[in-house]
Amino acid sequence: MNVKQKQILNRLFVSTFGEEASAFRPLPRSGSNRTYYRLSSAKYQAIGVCNSDHRENRAFVAMTRFFVSERIPVPKLLGENLKHGVYLVEDLGDRTLFEEITEKLHQPDGIGEIRQRLRQVIREL
């Protein structure tokens, strides 16, 4: 993380939660130019996202707001500074759907559990 990104994300964290982030942990990339960080303080935790693609950021924010308005369970948008290409989203933990599916592929009834989980995800969407 470059110093400028860290400063901008920390200012956003402070304006959102009222205290500075004491930890910035990078998270793995997932198929885009976005960079992700887990920011935390004594009381709060969020995922910080940095992305220089301003159109993609505006689209993400608009879609997130729409999904929330439709009661679709997605991580909440906690704060944004789109001028500088950063935003904060709710931290839902480390486990991804892909990891869950990959793990279950090698279990005795894994395929059935995967189908059930994917049906649940599709129903929610």
Side-chain angles (χ1 to χ4, degrees), residues 15-103:
S15 70
T16 302
F17 298 112
E19 60 188 62
E20 290 195 25
S22 56
F24 289 78
R25 193 176 89 202
L27 298 173
R29 288 183 179 250
S30 61
S32 76
N33 289 327
R34 290 182 299 268
T35 52
Y36 298 95
Y37 304 91
R38 176 167 282 129
L39 285 72
S40 57
S41 66
K43 293 199 283 190
Y44 301 101
Q45 188 163 297
I47 300 298
V49 183
C50 300
N51 185 8
S52 60
D53 187 334
H54 295 288
R55 288 179 50 192
E56 185 177 271
N57 292 340
R58 286 192 306 272
F60 175 85
V61 167
M63 288 189 303
T64 298
R65 288 184 175 142
F66 173 76
F67 293 152
V68 168
S69 75
E70 295 295 315
R71 295 185 180 99
I72 297 171
V74 296
K76 293 178 182 77
L77 182 65
L78 303 173
E80 62 185 85
N81 182 335
L82 296 184
K83 178 182 174 187
H84 289 101
V86 300
Y87 51 92
L88 296 175
V89 294
E90 181 180 21
D91 186 349
L92 299 178
D94 291 324
R95 190 140 170 92
T96 67
L97 180 61
F98 179 76
E99 289 169 338
E100 186 176 325
I101 288 170
T102 303
E103 181 182 290

